[in-house]
Amino acid sequence: MRARLRELTANGARVALVPTMGALHEGHLALVDAAAKVADVVAVSIFVNPLQFGPNEDLARYPRTPESDSAALTEHGATIVFMPTAEEMYGANTSRTTVTPPLFAALLEGSVRPGHFAGVLTVVAKLFNIVQPDVAVFGRKDLQQLSLIRAMVADLNFPVQIMAIDTVRESDGLALSSRNRYLDADARRHAPALHAALVSAKDAFDAGSTNPAAIESAGKAVLAKDGAFEVDYLTLVNETDFARPSVAAKGDSIVVAARIGGTRLIDNIQL
Ligand code: PAF
């Protein structure tokens, strides 16, 4: 990968990296399009990273669609696709060096998925070292991941600019996700309530409420009325360290995770 990139950047070309786990949808392709606007060389990695999956998570059944991914990436102007095997990335060594995330990795997604963010940050650090991009592009859909990557880049002095891209949605508001394919017809019918809940919480802020509990209640009421979700959390956070502000302010976000028909969905909206 480094040898190929050396050739591609011999004339000083700017490199963007779009890290993905494949099963690409329009949300990923929006990241590739954004990368192509700011860089000459767009490198896309496709790697289902075992380190970020817990023992009872969906590593084995995580969707893998390399042929259609490659075709879509060619169409969207990706220059080079990096699709390593787990063996190539980690070898057989089980005692390895990893990234220890900052404390807010233990909150929210981290509390439900212990070790997940250490796995994400470790693979992202490896990808940054392999590709050495000028800019790396991530979606706002995984907001806690984005904030943790920003923190890692600042704390460990990675010479890379992080670019964040808005979530792409279906016309009914459901955020695109590779896991949406797990939704059966009934779950799919209810799923847009997740975004509707976030919009309702934001509406409460837009109408003048700055009380976090009142804003969160407006969102939770939508999910309670829908009745199909088991809510893990719906909470106001600041994007820097995911602390819950005592007074809501523009720039804070509401993040939600909820289960529907055996599938866990996450989403967020910024005030
Ligand atoms: O967001 C993802 O798809 C993954 O967490 C990432 C950033 C590619 C690391 O494996």
Side-chain angles (χ1 to χ4, degrees):
M1 186 66 183
R2 285 228 185 102
R4 182 80 184 99
L5 281 166
R6 247 194 310 276
E7 287 165 19
L8 289 167
T9 56
N11 58 356
R14 192 172 150 79
V15 178
L17 169 66
V18 184
T20 80
M21 298 206 301
L24 302 181
H25 50 63
E26 290 302 322
H28 297 111
L29 297 173
L31 307 182
V32 176
D33 292 342
K37 287 201 182 109
V38 298
D40 311 295
V41 171
V42 177
V44 179
S45 62
I46 296 180
F47 179 58
V48 183
N49 172 34
L51 224 56
Q52 70 189 74
F53 286 78
N56 299 318
E57 291 185 358
D58 57 348
L59 173 62
R61 73 169 182 142
Y62 194 84
R64 289 161 171 86
T65 56
E67 280 86 23
S68 58
D69 288 354
S70 298
L73 289 174
T74 305
E75 213 174 287
H76 283 257
T79 322
I80 180 165
V81 180
F82 181 53
M83 225 187 283
T85 62
E87 176 72 23
E88 283 170 320
M89 284 297 266
Y90 295 117
N93 184 7
T94 52
S95 163
R96 58 177 78 95
T97 306
T98 56
V99 174
T100 303
L103 290 179
F104 74 93
L107 305 175
L108 303 176
E109 281 308 283
S111 72
V112 184
R113 308 183 68 187
H116 169 66
F117 287 123
V120 170
L121 294 189
T122 298
V123 82
V124 170
K126 283 168 72 72
L127 291 166
F128 285 174
N129 285 330
I130 292 164
V131 176
Q132 304 182 354
D134 298 285
V135 53
V137 187
F138 295 89
R140 286 186 57 85
K141 159 102 185 346
D142 295 308
L143 189 63
Q144 194 174 0
Q145 165 176 288
L146 174 67
S147 296
L148 284 162
I149 290 168
R150 285 192 194 285
M152 177 182 77
V153 163
D155 293 342
L156 300 185
N157 307 91
F158 279 95
V160 59
Q161 179 200 337
I162 302 299
M163 200 167 129
I165 302 299
D166 284 344
T167 302
V168 178
R169 299 180 181 281
E170 302 281 6
S171 56
D172 59 11
L174 177 64
L176 296 195
S177 162
S178 306
R179 290 189 170 103
N180 288 353
R181 67 189 72 197
Y182 300 153
L183 298 169
D184 64 20
D186 189 51
R188 177 63 189 82
R189 198 165 48 79
H190 286 277
L194 205 61
H195 177 60
L198 293 170
V199 170
S200 178
K202 181 175 180 297
D203 284 349
F205 174 77
D206 290 340
S209 177
T210 55
N211 178 330
I215 292 169
E216 291 158 0
S217 293
K220 285 176 187 167
V222 172
L223 293 177
K225 186 158 175 235
D226 180 83
F229 286 92
E230 225 177 282
V231 181
D232 281 350
Y233 57 78
L234 186 155
T235 184
L236 185 75
V237 296
N238 82 57
E239 284 190 19
T240 313
D241 62 2
F242 266 58
R244 183 171 180 262
S246 52
V247 177
K250 202 167 155 58
D252 292 338
S253 282
I254 304 150
V255 291
V256 65
R259 292 162 208 270
I260 180 166
T263 302
R264 190 166 179 280
L265 300 177
I266 64 169
D267 202 351
N268 65 83
I269 199 167
Q270 191 171 39
L271 299 182

